[in-house]
Amino acid sequence: MSVPLRRSLKDSLEQDLNNMDNFLEKLGPLSGQGREPSSLPHDPVGMRQQLQEELEEVRARLEPYMVEVHERVGWNLDGLRRQLKPYTTDLMEQVALRVQELQEQLRLVGEDTKAQLLEGVDEARGLLQELQNRVMHHTHRVKALFHPYAQRLVTGIEHHVQELHRSVAPHAAASPARLSRCVQVLSRKLTFKAKALHARIRQNLDQLREELTAFARASTDSAEEGPDPDPQVLSQEVRQRLQAFRHDTFLQIAAFTRAIDQETEEVQLQLAPPPPGHSAFAPEFLQDDNSQARSKLQARLDDLWEDINYSLHDHDFGHLGEP
């Protein structure tokens, strides 16, 4: 946006502040401010149409500015998503690597293993007890190895969200206080979800350990009561349980990545809301709970009013340069 166009838009918005005052005054009977609570106007359809016309006029004047703000904020939020992607990619790579290691460490296929299983019940029982011990040791070790990656994700979220705050501040239409609130909420939500993801990975490892040790115990009991266990069957069972762990953990990491997208999209709508004439901005007046609809509209107009005043009086339009 060129400097003359910014100045023209700013002059136009300043000229429209009185019009916005008149528009908000028209909402007075709806919100009941300064008077006894009243019912809906006698002609609610006509009132709704009049308000929509007013909103359309405001939307037409604000849209060029709001579209640019929306794009600037969105560009910075895309940057946050790109910065967090390596952390989730590292987690997925670690899951695949640790599953491969566990598969090697718990492998039971081989001539030595087969010969040991055929030597008798005591030898088979000893081998299966060794398998249980290895399961306990290596799953505990893998759990410890995941901790620094999970901690790095939490630290990365805190760091990059603060960077987002600094980079969005010159472009956001929101007041500094509202911007700070939005960023803090985003940081808390993503940090909570990252810690929950780490907890789920730990739970997956605990479940894997319990399943494999239970399977080894059951195989020991079978060896005492029947034919010698087949090492191929044992290895296949271990492999299937490991692949199930890998699959479930990958799904949870992917769900966390989608949550990052959803939370950042919500922040974009909060910091760069849709134009006032948009259906997402103006709730329906003829809902069952009309007071809730009126309160929602009034709250959104208050946010818009606060942001417009900040942008016109305290914000330097020259910051809206190219990224």
Side-chain angles (χ1 to χ4, degrees):
M1 184 184 293
S2 65
V3 173
L5 181 56
R6 292 190 194 104
R7 290 174 178 169
S8 176
L9 176 58
K10 181 174 180 179
D11 292 341
S12 176
L13 288 174
E14 289 173 333
Q15 182 180 353
D16 286 338
L17 286 177
N18 288 333
N19 294 340
M20 182 65 106
D21 262 332
N22 295 334
F23 174 63
L24 293 174
E25 287 174 3
K26 292 176 183 179
L27 294 177
L30 296 180
S31 62
Q33 293 178 353
R35 66 191 70 193
E36 293 297 323
S38 59
S39 59
L40 283 174
H42 294 297
D43 182 12
V45 176
M47 174 62 77
R48 181 172 179 273
Q49 181 179 357
Q50 183 179 0
L51 289 175
Q52 290 292 349
E53 291 174 357
E54 297 283 353
L55 285 170
E56 177 62 26
E57 182 179 351
V58 173
R59 183 201 66 78
R61 292 180 178 273
L62 292 179
E63 187 169 18
Y65 168 67
M66 296 181 74
V67 166
E68 182 161 350
V69 168
H70 187 83
E71 291 175 352
R72 299 298 175 188
V73 172
W75 183 81
N76 283 282
L77 287 167
D78 283 342
L80 174 64
R81 289 190 282 267
R82 289 192 300 269
Q83 289 167 330
L84 294 181
K85 186 174 177 59
Y87 296 94
T88 54
T89 300
D90 283 348
L91 273 177
M92 284 191 165
E93 291 176 351
Q94 283 300 308
V95 170
L97 176 62
R98 301 311 168 189
V99 165
Q100 183 178 356
E101 288 180 355
L102 285 171
Q103 193 162 308
E104 285 297 317
Q105 290 153 350
L106 303 179
R107 191 167 62 92
L108 288 175
V109 178
E111 290 301 322
D112 294 341
T113 301
K114 185 175 181 180
Q116 188 174 354
L117 288 172
L118 293 175
E119 286 179 2
V121 173
D122 291 339
E123 288 74 11
R125 185 167 50 214
L127 182 63
L128 293 169
Q129 181 60 51
E130 181 188 348
L131 173 61
Q132 292 183 54
N133 294 338
R134 278 189 282 166
V135 167
M136 295 290 290
H137 171 73
H138 290 298
T139 53
H140 180 76
R141 186 181 65 87
V142 168
K143 184 186 290 188
L145 290 173
F146 271 115
H147 181 75
Y149 289 91
Q151 187 59 43
R152 197 176 305 163
L153 173 60
V154 171
T155 304
I157 287 171
E158 295 172 353
H159 172 70
H160 292 300
V161 170
Q162 288 305 314
E163 283 189 343
L164 172 73
H165 192 174
R166 290 190 293 269
S167 61
V168 165
H171 308 306
S175 65
R178 199 158 76 84
L179 171 61
S180 180
R181 289 195 302 271
C182 287
V183 170
Q184 288 174 6
V185 168
L186 176 64
S187 181
R188 284 197 299 269
K189 285 183 175 181
L190 294 184
T191 299
F192 175 81
K193 291 178 185 296
K195 291 180 178 179
L197 173 63
H198 184 204
R200 283 193 290 271
I201 293 175
R202 292 171 63 88
Q203 290 169 2
N204 292 346
L205 283 166
D206 289 340
Q207 181 179 351
L208 174 66
R209 182 184 64 247
E210 291 170 3
E211 290 176 350
L212 289 177
T213 53
F215 171 70
R217 284 195 299 269
S219 298
T220 302
D221 295 339
S222 298
E224 294 177 352
E225 299 173 0
D228 298 327
D230 186 340
Q232 293 285 353
V233 173
L234 294 175
S235 295
Q236 180 66 22
E237 183 68 23
V238 169
R239 184 162 50 251
Q240 288 177 354
R241 299 297 172 92
L242 288 172
Q243 290 306 313
F245 163 77
R246 180 180 184 274
H247 175 75
D248 292 344
T249 307
F250 271 20
L251 289 179
Q252 290 164 354
I253 296 174
F256 173 75
T257 302
R258 289 194 300 273
I260 293 176
D261 294 340
Q262 293 168 358
E263 295 296 344
T264 51
E265 287 168 4
E266 183 178 339
V267 167
Q268 184 176 8
L269 291 176
Q270 291 171 351
L271 297 180
H278 193 279
S279 59
F281 183 91
E284 294 291 335
F285 288 103
L286 301 180
Q287 298 175 348
D288 293 337
D289 188 355
N290 290 288
S291 62
Q292 183 178 2
R294 292 194 296 270
S295 297
K296 187 176 181 181
L297 175 61
Q298 187 69 51
R300 291 191 175 185
L301 288 169
D302 288 344
D303 284 344
L304 178 62
W305 179 259
E306 176 187 349
D307 293 343
I308 290 174
N309 274 285
Y310 167 69
S311 296
L312 292 176
H313 301 128
D314 301 312
H315 196 58
D316 180 4
F317 274 63
H319 283 298
L320 291 174
E322 293 298 325

